[in-house]
Structure formats: structure tokens, C-alpha cells
Amino acid sequence: MLNTALVEQFLRTGRVMDILFLIFVWLFVIYYITKAGRGAQLPKIRRIAAIDAIREGVGRAVEIRKPVHWSFGNAGAYVTDQNVSETLAGLGVMSYTVGLCARLGARFIFHMPGNPEAIPILEGTVLEAYSKEGKLEEFDRRRDLRYYGSGMMVFTAALAQSFMTEGVAMKIMMGRQPTCMYVALEAAKLQGAIVIGGTARWTAMYSFVLTCDYLFIGEEVFAAGAYVTGNPYMISSLASEEMAKYACIGILALGIVLSLANINFAALMKN
Amino acid sequence: MSTTIRRDLPILLLAIVGFLYVAEWFFGGNVIPQLSTFKGLMGTMVSVIAWTAVGVGTIYGISSEYYLVRRNRNWQQYVTSGSMFLMMIIMAIIWIWQWSGPGRAVGYAFQSPEWRWWLMNVYSNQTQAQYAIMFLYQCGAVYRVLRVRSMETTVFTLAGLAFILKSIPLFLTVPGVSEIGDWVQGAPTLGGTRAATLTASLGALVIGLRALVGKEQTTIEVK
Amino acid sequence: MEQKTEEKTIWDKIGTIDYRYIYVFSLIMILIPIIQPIGIPMKVGSNAQTWHNTIVNIPAHSYILFNYYVDLSVWADMGPILVVTLNEVWMIPKERDVKIFFYSSTADGAVKMRDLLVTLCKPPQWRTDSYGTTWVDVGYIGFPNEAAYASFVMDFKSLILRDIRGTSLLDVPAAKEMAAHAAPTDVLTAADFDLLIWSSWGCTDPDMYVRQFWASGSPPYHVPMLMQTIGNCVPNVVPYVGPDKPIRAFIPGAAGAAELEMITGLKGDGTKMADATDLGGVATVILIALGNIAYLGGRFLGKKKEEK
Amino acid sequence: MVDIYTQLGVLAGALMIIGQFTMLWKDNLYFRVTTRIVVGYYMMYMMCYYVAMIYGRTWNAMTVQGEWWWAVAIFLGLLMYTRISRQYAWIAKYPMSIALGAGVGTVSVALLRAQVLDQITYTVTDLFTATSAYALFNAIVIAVALVTTISYFFFTREHTGPLGWSAAVGRAFIMCSVAVIWAGDYMWAMAMLSGVLSYMVNNFIKGLMLGGPIS
């Protein structure tokens, strides 16, 4: 259907559909960002219960004088590959949590993942949140930042130890997780903590379903990352995600119609 | 000036590298081979940057442990933190001592009998013990969570049970167990997994695009 | 102030058993067959049978690429599959002239393989004597990410320069012969192999292996695969499994190894663990039943009691 | 006769296992020490391993082949250490931005084909290549699951009316999918426990304490 030889002079083989889809999403991202820039009304985002629960958890931490623990998993803060989005979304929620802790006076402990290259952005986000609340002096790196390397079960054991010795009022875990982070989540639960978390890495989702009081399911992680910032550009660009989803359902419907008309949909999509 | 150097230039750098990666995806290979060369080189360079930064994490790890010792001056803390420092020293000594030698490759230390002893007896058993604990924790969850309380927990319980029964040799002798397990795995699970992967990818994609145009707050406002 | 304590019903008691008792119960159930094997009968599934048939019926003069992946932290679950598979491969008769290329993508693999080759997976004497001509082992190739694997399938030299004995890769006769199998004849690529046996407990790895060893290449390499994995990766593997799909068969964990051991008659740790899995499964069913009896009893029968 | 190093190894392994298991009861010094031992081991392992990787990848390339740009990469990596100083921490943003740029560039395109477009294509082709009524039924279930689960992830509309129903069905599929993954993991963890117990019974008790063979 397509003049492949002609297209391949300008584009790599099998990338036509990719570029069309990307342009489609990109146009909507730019459209909504521009719209937000003009001060247009932001799209309404449905409530994500886990976000409300974070405020409740921080309040509880102040009440019972136990810390809030945050982690990204043993190596969950990827910045150099396709998992970077999950890190950025997690950082958005972390910034919100740290801000609440600083404002209400709860102690925040951050068990950093074993990705050393991510440390600048991880620590930077914590500093930024404290500084926004004007309480930078309350943040002590040596006291509140922990590092154990990236060994999976070494990390879970170290977390469990920290929960037992220092106490835990709320445990939040986001970022790309392996399934064995279940041990850390359950250890927090057994210590009586409110457990909140979620991941877009579907294989590990069960750990959260079984242990968390409040969940971010799959893509909710990304939506939450934008939502909590209150940044109009980020919230408004969420609408472009919805457009992409409509497009996916549309392509599915189109595929069914074309296949019924005996047109080879799979071959068309290979372009 | 300060904002330009501290914030704007890094964002610009991010966007340039990011856009070149995107361009390579569509126009690399035979169309513009230089883009693929750039991506190949940049991939390894980013790895080298990450490897070089490993000490930052170690410094943070040591300093927070040292802080704990200073704050809690009791014998239990000395023993706990001391065991960590001692272990680091032992491994460092083995590594330097066994780094290489006549007829050995550089980095031989990881294959040396001394390193293997610690790996296979100490690290490996600690890790396996944690996995075993994970199973016991999950037994607790099986009893506590898998109850037919709501639509979600009912589906979770039934689907999980179908797969567990299918995976246990003893239950495979019961007619129908294998077929039900296969169906749960092959139809509803596949559909759910497919959709969850797809939507998560769209979410990730939009964050990527937002960061490329400099509107992702987490990459902008970092102290 | 004196607090009035509510009397617990039988349903409450069944539903709120201390978690430590649950741990002890599960531990005992798993421990029983380890102390005294029971030998509960089992059935061989189609996956294990296909796996076995693929290795046993491999055509003469084939080339097998074998990734002996070992992560010591999950050795208990994946080790038995590697042991039985390696022994199965060693059992391929000499007359068949099947050549094997071994590598490891984990540092643990390179360490463990040394032990295995002199203990549980000793090659037959004729294989030992003909190292270099009937098989080659290149050891640990580093921990490759997808970009590295993309180069690897195009040219093994991008990650491997020498075999474990220090011989330059294409100076090893077996490797040289394999390289000549498919074009380009002086480069060792994925196209040179007729079967890839690999393992991983990374659940997204099947996507990568399929992309690299099946879909990439021009024409595509289409190397059929046998995959060893762990239980929770099954949903990620299933989409690629079938007689005309990239993965011909897969073995999930020690329970799968037990089936393989049953077919081959090479009894090992998998069989021992099958008993434990059986009793563990029974424990699981009991726990789910207890929880639900307590919940449903409390909900339907507990209320009636209150009404009385 | 088993050598002393193997015997000591079994003893060390058993002590590590018992130490870790004590966490099931409550916090104690023994558990803390065994945990700190592996934390120390792993941090040093990462350090040594990465230094070996840097050396292996760059040293020969720089000194023999004259590929000077690896020195730039190492320099950029060293800039990450400015993070330790509050005053110069911002310098680390430069190497960080390069790393982030690579990640952001990858995520903006790499997922499109395999995780989005191919998934839709598979769903359609499954429907039209089904060779039996059972396969067709399954393909329909998969298509329904895909659409309803996507509908659960709509954020800009409240889940009421038809969308509410669709999202509820989607949630059931999500739970089904998560449950099967959990069940697989559960079986795996069970095998791990039996492996640990087997080590304790056969190597520690029968082997080391009763003088039997150690495997």
C-alpha cells in the first residue's frame, strides 16, 4: 500500500506508524501546554485516593512521632533508559510528600536506590521541597538519606531493619520495582504503618495490591506525578494522554473494520 | 546569569541529547548513519558516567552509618555498624589483592576463591533467606487478604487459586484444573496485562515528551 | 477507666490467628518432605515434553547456543532446570555431531559453571577430550543491556574476544565452523545457530530476546528458543510460546524441573522440591479456606447470632 | 573429607540464614548484624565492580587506541561528586542532564512499537486468525479486556454511567492479571523456602553437625 522504497529514503524501515502516532500525541501535548500557558481552564482530574491518603499519613506521622519512609526500590530510579518516566513521576509525588512533611513537622527518611547516577536529582528534589517550605535547615543529609547499593534482598533487609529500629508511620514506595520489594512493604505493614505505593512495572504490581492501604495502579503513577505538582502545564498535558488512549481504541476499531473488509491490518501496521 | 548556568543550560543539554535520540529512532540506520553512531557512543558514555558516579552512593552510605554511630554511642550500634565497615574493608582487601596476576584477566578478583567464598556462602544465603521470608509473608497475606470481600478480592482469589492449583503437581491429577488455569492465564490475564502495559507506556511517553519541551517540573526545579 | 472487652466469636478467632502461627504452619508443611520425602505422584505437562523432545530430537550437525545463566540468589528455583538441561545436552550422542557454544550473561554463572562441570553436570569423556572442536565456552560476557545485545547478535566479537582458555574466538575450531554456517561466514552471528537455550528471571527479558534473536537481522534470525524462567514471569513468556513462535517451550521453576527430571530419569533437586511444592500448595489451600470460612461465617452466621 | 573452608562456609551460610529469619520474630542485634554485613558487602561489590568495568572499557581504548572521549565521560562522571558540596552541587546537573536526555529520548520513542502499536495489532489478528470457537472466544475476551481496562485509566472523566461500568469490568481484568502474576511469584518463593530449608537440613544439620556429606 505504501511506496516502501521511497519512504525508506527518508525514514528507517518500519517506522511510519510510529512517527504518525508520535506526531499525533505530540500535537496534543503542545496544544494542551499552549492552552495552559494562556491560562485556560485546566482539565478536571478524577480523584486518586492514594494522594489524599498521603496527607493523612503525614498527619499521622506527626501525631505518633514516627517518621515517613520513602523508597524507589533497590534500583528503581532509572534515569538513562525507558524507565526514566517512572522516576520523574515518582519524584513529583515525593516532592509533594516532603513538602507536607516539612510543613507539618514530620521526619522524612529517604532510602535511596542503588542508582548512583540518579543521586543528584533525588537529593535535589528533597532539598527543593524543604527549601520551598522555608525549612531547609531541618534537612540533614547524613541523618535522612540512606544508601545500601542495589542488591535486591540486601535492600529489603536494610529497610526492614530501619522500620523496626526507627519506627514507621507511613511507607511510600514508587518507581520501577522488582517483585521482592514485597518484603519491605509487608515489613512496614507489620510495624503498623500506612502503606502507599504503586508501579507501572506490571509484574510487581501484586506486591502493592496485597500490602498497600492505598494504591497507584499502573498508569495512575504518571497521572499522580503530574497532579500533585499543581503545575498547569503538567496537569493539562494529561489530557493528551487521554487523546492517545482514544486513538488506541480507534485503531483497534479500525483494525477490526479493515480485517472484516479483508484488508491485511497487520501488514499495514508493520510499516 | 546564575539561573542560566544552573537551570537553563542543563535543560537545554537534556533536550539536545533527547532530541538526537528521537531523531536516531526515525532517521538513523541507513538514512543518517551518523545519528546511530552518536547514539551508540552516547549509550556507552552514559554508562561510564554512571559507573564513575558509584562512589557518590558509597560516600552517602558510609556517612549515614557513621552518623548513626555518633548519635547512638552504645555497644550494639558499634557492633552493627562495625560489621558493615569491617565487611567493606575485607572485600576491598580481597579485591586489591586479587585484582589480577600472572596469567589472569584484569578483574579476576570476582572469580577468585576468596571472593567466591563470601559470595556463595554469605551473600547468597542471606538473599535466599530473604526470598524465603517473602514466602512466609505471602502466606500471611494469603490468609489475611484473599477473602471474598469485594468483587476485586474475589476475582483476585479465584484467579490466583486457579494458577496455584495448576502449578502444583498434586492438583494436576484433578480433571479440569489444568484447563481452567490455562484459560485464566491465556485470556483475561493476557488482556489485562496488555492494556496495563499499553496505558503505562502512553503515560511514560507523555512524560518523556513533556521533559523534552522543558515542561516537566521534576527536571526543572532541582537544586 | 475500665474498658469493656468484646467477646470474640469463633469466626473472629479463626479469622485473626497470629501471623507467627501461620509462618510456623507453612514452615512445617514445607519441611516435612525435606526431612522425609513422600513421593507424591505427578503429571508431565506439555511444555516439559516439548522441551525434552526439542533437545532429544535435535537434527544432526546442529549448533546450539547455550546461555548458562545463574543467579545464585534464585538458585533453588532455577538451578535444578539448568542441571537437568545441561545433562540432557551432554546426553546427545556423539554420532549426531551437535556442537555447542556456551556463554553466561551473569557473573554468578561463570563461577557456578566451573563447579557444575566437575560435579553435577560432568560432560562425557569424549566431550571433555574434544573441547574446542565439539563445544566452546566463552564464560562471562559482561552484563549486556539491550543495546549491547543488539551488537552481540550481529557479531559476537562485540562482547567476546576469547574463550575461557584464552584462545582468540575465531581461532577455536568449533566457533570457526559455526561462523561459517550462515552468511557472513567469517562472523559469528545469531543466524549461525539452530537453537538457543537461555534463562532469566527478568520478566521483561523475553521481549528483549525475541526482539534480538528472533525479529532482528536481515533476513530475521528466527532462532528457536527454549527458556528457563521463574513462576511469576509466565504471563510475560506465554505470548511468545508455540510451535511456530519464537519460544518453543519454557520451564517455570523447580516444579518444571521435576517434570523434566521425571522424563529424563535424571532425578535431582527438582524432584525433591516437588514434594515440598505439593504440601506447600495444600497449606495454601488450607489458608485461603480458613480466611474465607472466617469471613463468610462472620458475615452470615455471626449476624444471626447477634439477632438472637 | 570436606575441607575446612567448605565447613566454615556452611557455618557462615547457616548463621546468615538464621540471622535473617529472626526478623520474623522481632528486631534484634543478630538480625541487624547479618543485614549490615551484606550491606557492606554489596556496597563494596558495586564499587569494585564498576571500577573494573570502567577500567576494562576505557583504559585500553584511551591508552592504546587513542579514544580520548572516554576521558571526557570519566570527567563528567567525576563531576557527579560535586553533589557532596552544597555550594557546588549544581555542577552535577550537567552530567545528570546528559543521562536524563538519553533516558527521555529513549522513552519518547522506544515504547511506541512493542508496547503500544504491536499490542493493538496482536489483539486484532488474534480475533481474525482464531481457528476454533474456543480461540475466538478467548480473542474476544482479550479485546474486551483491552478496551475496558483502558477505560479504567481515563483520568479526565469521572467513572460514572457507562464509563463507570466499563471501568469496573476493567478493574476485574486488572485484578485477574495481577493475581496470576502473584500466584507465579508465590510458587517461586515457595521453591526458595524449600531450597533454604533443604540447605539447613542437608548441609548444616546432616552435613556439618552430623558429619555427613555437604553438597
Side-chain angles (χ1 to χ4, degrees):
Chain A
M1 255 177 288
L2 273 170
N3 186 342
T4 326
L6 181 73
V7 172
E8 283 179 11
Q9 283 182 11
F10 305 101
L11 205 62
R12 294 179 81 163
T13 315
R15 299 279 196 265
V16 177
M17 290 299 159
D18 298 35
I19 202 165
L20 289 178
F21 194 85
L22 187 70
I23 290 171
F24 175 85
V25 181
W26 214 319
L27 284 178
F28 275 103
V29 169
I30 291 168
Y31 168 73
Y32 281 110
I33 284 177
T34 319
K35 208 172 150 188
R38 285 202 218 107
Q41 201 189 354
L42 297 176
K44 266 190 184 170
I45 308 291
R46 78 167 153 85
R47 250 182 92 242
I48 298 173
I51 293 173
D52 302 337
I54 292 177
R55 177 176 281 276
E56 187 193 318
V58 175
R60 184 168 177 267
V62 178
E63 219 170 88
I64 63 173
R65 292 167 178 271
K66 283 185 180 173
V68 170
H69 292 255
W70 181 287
S71 69
F72 278 95
N74 65 311
Y78 290 83
V79 288
T80 59
D81 63 12
Q82 61 198 45
N83 299 300
V84 65
S85 296
E86 213 167 335
T87 308
L88 296 179
L91 284 174
V93 183
M94 185 172 87
S95 170
Y96 170 74
T97 312
V98 179
L100 279 176
C101 287
R103 200 179 315 150
L104 302 177
R107 188 176 159 207
F108 180 84
I109 297 179
F110 182 17
H111 304 272
M112 291 195 294
N115 313 78
E117 71 279 13
I119 286 175
I121 198 170
L122 299 176
E123 191 190 357
T125 304
V126 179
L127 276 173
E128 185 94 34
Y130 270 104
S131 146
K132 267 189 185 166
E133 295 297 328
K135 296 192 174 173
L136 197 54
E137 72 290 346
E138 285 183 16
F139 171 68
D140 185 343
R141 170 198 285 165
R142 292 169 307 155
R143 188 190 61 184
D144 299 329
L145 294 188
R146 310 288 163 81
Y147 184 84
Y148 316 110
S150 62
M152 260 187 254
M153 304 321 275
V154 175
F155 193 81
T156 55
L159 251 67
Q161 186 197 322
S162 171
F163 299 154
M164 287 174 181
T165 50
E166 297 174 278
V168 49
M170 175 165 67
K171 164 87 191 92
I172 311 182
M173 195 183 277
M174 294 181 82
R176 188 180 186 273
Q177 310 285 342
T179 53
C180 31
M181 285 306 122
Y182 181 85
V183 178
L185 291 164
E186 183 76 17
K189 183 126 193 126
L190 290 174
Q191 295 297 315
I194 292 181
V195 185
I196 299 172
T199 178
R201 185 172 184 258
W202 201 241
T203 321
M205 194 63 224
Y206 87 80
S207 315
F208 296 90
V209 171
L210 285 180
T211 52
C212 285
D213 299 296
Y214 298 93
L215 271 176
F216 296 107
I217 301 177
E219 198 206 348
E220 282 179 353
V221 167
F222 302 115
Y227 180 70
V228 292
T229 57
N231 180 319
Y233 296 110
M234 291 176 66
I235 292 178
S236 126
S237 70
L238 272 181
S240 55
E241 245 172 270
E242 309 286 77
M243 289 300 155
K245 281 172 220 158
Y246 285 123
C248 287
I249 295 174
I251 296 170
L252 180 72
L254 181 73
I256 294 172
V257 171
L258 290 179
S259 300
L260 285 172
N262 268 337
I263 294 170
N264 191 338
F265 176 68
L268 182 73
M269 291 298 282
K270 265 189 186 163
N271 283 300
Chain B
M1 183 62 190
S2 161
T3 321
T4 311
I5 294 176
R6 292 182 178 215
R7 199 188 67 187
D8 300 342
L9 277 180
I11 292 174
L12 185 68
L13 196 57
L14 182 156
I16 291 171
V17 175
F19 272 110
L20 285 170
Y21 264 67
V22 173
E24 194 278 338
W25 182 259
F26 295 110
F27 311 111
N30 292 333
V31 186
I32 309 174
Q34 291 84 348
L35 283 172
S36 297
T37 313
F38 163 80
K39 189 182 168 185
L41 181 68
M42 190 51 91
T44 321
M45 281 191 79
V46 166
S47 298
V48 173
I49 292 173
W51 298 338
T52 313
V54 67
V56 183
T58 312
I59 290 168
Y60 278 55
I62 292 172
S63 84
S64 68
E65 197 66 29
Y66 181 62
Y67 177 85
L68 279 175
V69 179
R70 290 192 56 184
R71 287 260 305 190
N72 312 306
R73 289 175 183 272
N74 58 58
W75 71 271
Q76 292 209 355
Q77 188 63 51
Y78 288 139
V79 172
T80 310
S81 301
S83 58
M84 184 185 112
F85 292 128
L86 184 66
M87 194 66 209
M88 293 183 84
I89 293 166
I90 291 172
M91 297 325 287
I93 290 172
I94 294 176
W95 182 67
I96 293 165
W97 173 42
Q98 296 283 5
W99 166 260
S100 66
R104 290 172 188 163
V106 165
Y108 165 80
F110 305 116
Q111 310 250 350
S112 65
E114 293 76 15
W115 194 286
R116 281 173 58 192
W117 190 90
W118 289 98
L119 170 78
M120 297 178 79
N121 295 310
V122 175
Y123 169 70
S124 169
N125 281 312
Q126 180 273 340
T127 302
Q128 299 214 37
Q130 279 285 315
Y131 284 124
I133 288 166
M134 179 163 100
F135 175 72
L136 294 176
Y137 274 169
Q138 288 197 8
C139 285
V142 159
Y143 166 72
R144 192 185 66 225
V145 183
L146 267 59
R147 297 183 181 182
V148 290
R149 261 186 283 241
S150 63
M151 183 270 285
E152 280 92 349
T153 52
T154 306
V155 172
F156 193 100
T157 307
L158 294 178
L161 192 60
F163 190 85
I164 287 177
L165 294 182
K166 174 192 162 303
S167 313
I168 293 169
L170 179 66
F171 292 104
L172 283 177
T173 48
V174 180
V177 164
S178 179
E179 289 75 11
I180 294 171
D182 283 340
W183 181 78
V184 169
Q185 178 189 310
T189 300
L190 184 58
T193 309
R194 195 171 270 179
T197 314
L198 185 148
T199 48
S201 304
L202 293 177
L205 171 71
V206 169
I207 290 193
L209 297 181
R210 215 157 52 200
L212 275 181
V213 293
K215 296 291 179 197
E216 176 62 38
Q217 189 165 309
T218 41
T219 61
I220 302 168
E221 296 184 349
V222 177
K223 268 206 169 278
Chain C
M1 199 175 75
E2 198 180 308
Q3 272 198 338
K4 207 178 164 186
T5 48
E6 255 182 58
E7 201 185 321
K8 275 188 169 181
T9 65
I10 180 79
W11 310 116
D12 293 334
K13 283 178 188 165
I14 298 175
T16 53
I17 300 170
D18 189 291
Y19 61 91
R20 291 182 186 97
Y21 292 118
I22 306 276
Y23 298 162
V24 172
F25 169 66
S26 308
L27 264 174
I28 291 172
M29 289 294 270
I30 307 258
L31 197 56
I32 291 169
I34 289 170
I35 296 171
Q36 182 61 51
I38 303 168
I40 297 170
M42 55 181 166
K43 199 174 133 189
V44 173
S46 61
N47 251 314
Q49 195 62 56
T50 316
W51 177 287
H52 176 67
N53 293 347
T54 311
I55 295 177
V56 172
N57 301 329
I58 191 159
H61 316 296
S62 293
Y63 300 113
I64 299 177
L65 182 59
F66 196 125
N67 174 1
Y68 52 88
Y69 177 103
V70 176
D71 190 320
L72 287 174
S73 53
V74 290
W75 175 255
D77 199 29
M78 289 183 66
I81 321 176
L82 176 65
V83 170
V84 66
T85 307
L86 206 50
N87 282 322
E88 252 191 315
V89 166
W90 289 143
M91 280 160 65
I92 297 171
K94 190 179 180 183
E95 310 77 67
R96 201 74 69 74
D97 185 31
V98 171
K99 297 192 167 63
I100 311 156
F101 188 105
F102 291 101
Y103 75 95
S104 173
S105 54
T106 58
D108 298 9
V111 174
K112 191 72 184 176
M113 188 71 169
R114 283 192 192 185
D115 295 343
L116 287 179
L117 289 179
V118 290
T119 53
L120 293 171
C121 306
K122 240 179 156 175
Q125 195 55 42
W126 66 270
R127 282 275 186 201
T128 312
D129 296 341
S130 60
Y131 174 83
T133 50
T134 64
W135 63 293
V136 55
D137 183 0
V138 295
Y140 180 43
I141 62 165
F143 181 70
N145 54 26
E146 187 156 3
Y149 250 124
S151 319
F152 179 70
V153 293
M154 284 192 285
D155 181 0
F156 282 24
K157 268 192 160 173
S158 67
L159 293 180
I160 309 163
L161 295 176
R162 294 171 191 284
D163 76 343
I164 48 164
R165 297 190 182 177
T167 315
S168 184
L169 186 62
L170 288 184
D171 290 340
V172 180
K176 197 173 182 186
E177 187 188 323
M178 288 168 186
H181 182 217
T185 52
D186 54 346
V187 181
L188 201 56
T189 72
D192 294 317
F193 293 93
D194 303 297
L195 179 67
L196 165 64
I197 301 174
W198 67 284
S199 45
S200 167
W201 63 300
C203 292
T204 47
D205 281 359
D207 304 336
M208 182 179 85
Y209 271 74
V210 169
R211 277 196 292 268
Q212 298 306 332
F213 285 92
W214 183 266
S216 70
S218 175
Y221 297 130
H222 282 187
V223 187
M225 304 176 206
L226 296 177
M227 188 205 174
Q228 312 163 34
T229 184
I230 54 170
N232 78 324
C233 296
V234 170
N236 303 62
V237 185
V238 166
Y240 303 115
V241 180
D244 51 350
K245 288 186 177 160
I247 300 176
R248 298 295 148 91
F250 69 100
I251 302 289
E259 294 178 32
L260 265 181
E261 288 172 7
M262 198 173 157
I263 304 173
T264 54
L266 302 162
K267 293 278 165 68
D269 283 351
T271 311
K272 286 180 201 158
M273 270 185 209
D275 273 353
T277 314
D278 280 330
L279 282 197
V282 172
T284 309
V285 174
I286 292 172
L287 289 176
I288 294 180
L290 264 182
N292 282 287
I293 288 169
Y295 172 71
L296 294 172
R299 188 167 169 195
F300 295 109
L301 302 175
K303 267 185 190 168
K304 277 181 192 165
K305 198 180 167 187
E306 276 170 27
E307 280 162 16
K308 275 179 194 173
Chain D
M1 179 64 193
V2 183
D3 65 89
I4 185 76
Y5 293 106
T6 310
Q7 288 183 337
L8 278 175
V10 172
L11 181 65
L15 289 176
M16 290 304 287
I17 290 172
I18 297 168
Q20 291 290 298
F21 266 72
T22 58
M23 79 176 257
L24 290 169
W25 188 251
K26 62 176 189 177
D27 180 34
N28 62 80
L29 179 65
Y30 185 14
F31 166 62
R32 291 202 294 264
V33 169
T34 52
T35 301
R36 263 3 203 200
I37 284 175
V38 284
V39 169
Y41 168 83
Y42 210 90
M43 277 207 286
M44 195 39 82
Y45 169 75
M46 276 184 74
M47 277 283 285
C48 301
Y49 190 77
Y50 282 147
V51 171
M53 294 278 276
I54 295 166
Y55 182 85
R57 185 68 194 83
T58 64
W59 187 252
N60 261 346
M62 284 192 295
T63 53
V64 181
Q65 289 151 12
E67 294 177 354
W68 52 268
W69 49 87
W70 300 117
V72 177
I74 292 172
F75 174 71
L76 286 168
L78 291 174
L79 286 185
M80 289 276 199
Y81 290 79
T82 57
R83 186 72 242 172
I84 293 158
S85 140
R86 278 260 171 108
Q87 198 182 349
Y88 298 107
W90 59 272
I91 296 174
K93 285 178 84 174
Y94 283 83
M96 182 78 230
S97 293
I98 295 174
L100 267 175
V104 162
T106 309
V107 77
S108 302
V109 283
L111 301 168
L112 270 177
R113 176 55 64 171
Q115 265 112 344
V116 179
L117 299 175
D118 278 356
Q119 298 303 325
I120 303 170
T121 313
Y122 291 153
T123 310
V124 175
T125 46
D126 282 352
L127 279 169
F128 291 91
T129 52
T131 49
S132 64
Y134 176 69
L136 180 64
F137 171 70
N138 280 355
I140 292 171
V141 171
I142 292 169
V144 171
L146 186 79
V147 175
T148 52
T149 309
I150 290 177
S151 75
Y152 171 78
F153 290 107
F154 279 119
F155 297 108
T156 54
R157 293 180 63 184
E158 283 298 329
H159 286 174
T160 51
L163 181 63
W165 283 101
S166 172
V169 176
R171 213 175 146 87
F173 281 114
I174 287 173
M175 284 301 148
C176 186
S177 161
V178 169
V180 168
I181 295 171
W182 162 72
D185 217 39
Y186 181 77
M187 296 307 297
W188 162 54
M190 193 192 286
M192 298 305 293
L193 174 63
S194 72
V196 168
L197 293 179
S198 174
Y199 178 90
M200 291 301 287
V201 170
N202 297 324
N203 282 354
F204 182 60
I205 298 175
K206 289 185 185 170
L208 191 67
M209 293 171 79
L210 304 175
I214 291 173
S215 62

